[in-house]
Amino acid sequence: MTNKIFNRYFELIFWITAMVCLAFTNPAGHSHFSLCPLKLLGFGWCPGCGLGHSISYLFRGDVRGSFHAHWLGIPAVAIILYRIYSLIKRKHVFTDMQKQEL
């Protein structure tokens, strides 16, 4: 049962968790732990980290900082939010269909 629920809602939970984590991350902070392999190797810039910083700046309302960190941050937020919306809508439709079958 738990495995079925996990498989059904994994992507939705993943995207929501990722967005919440990025919303609470301080993009200007330099003392946080990173799982980025490029940062662990000593590189100063990573396109993935730039995208994460861009999204964090955007959640703080700093559009200029967001664009400076990575120019795809704004479209990425729009795409991810649309994906979250479509997953919620799809899960809701499937739940309604299952209720009608009973």
Side-chain angles (χ1 to χ4, degrees):
M1 168 118 172
T2 305
N3 194 21
K4 185 177 181 181
I5 292 172
F6 178 77
N7 288 338
R8 184 170 183 192
Y9 294 104
F10 174 75
E11 186 181 2
L12 179 61
I13 293 168
F14 174 82
W15 286 122
I16 291 172
T17 303
M19 295 302 271
V20 168
C21 287
L22 286 172
F24 287 111
T25 301
N26 182 7
H30 297 289
S31 62
H32 71 282
F33 176 72
S34 177
L35 295 175
C36 175
L38 293 178
K39 279 201 177 184
L40 293 175
L41 290 173
F43 292 99
W45 185 82
C46 167
C49 293
L51 192 59
H53 288 150
S54 177
I55 293 170
S56 290
Y57 280 122
L58 196 59
F59 277 125
R60 285 170 168 55
D62 185 1
V63 177
R64 183 176 290 160
S66 174
F67 192 79
H68 180 69
H70 199 295
W71 61 277
L72 285 175
I74 296 169
V77 168
I79 291 168
I80 293 170
L81 290 177
Y82 176 75
R83 182 65 182 157
I84 290 171
Y85 168 76
S86 66
L87 287 169
I88 290 171
K89 186 177 176 183
R90 188 177 82 190
K91 300 302 180 196
H92 216 42
V93 168
F94 285 147
T95 304
D96 291 343
M97 287 174 38
Q98 288 174 351
K99 287 180 184 176
Q100 290 176 357
E101 290 175 2
L102 297 174

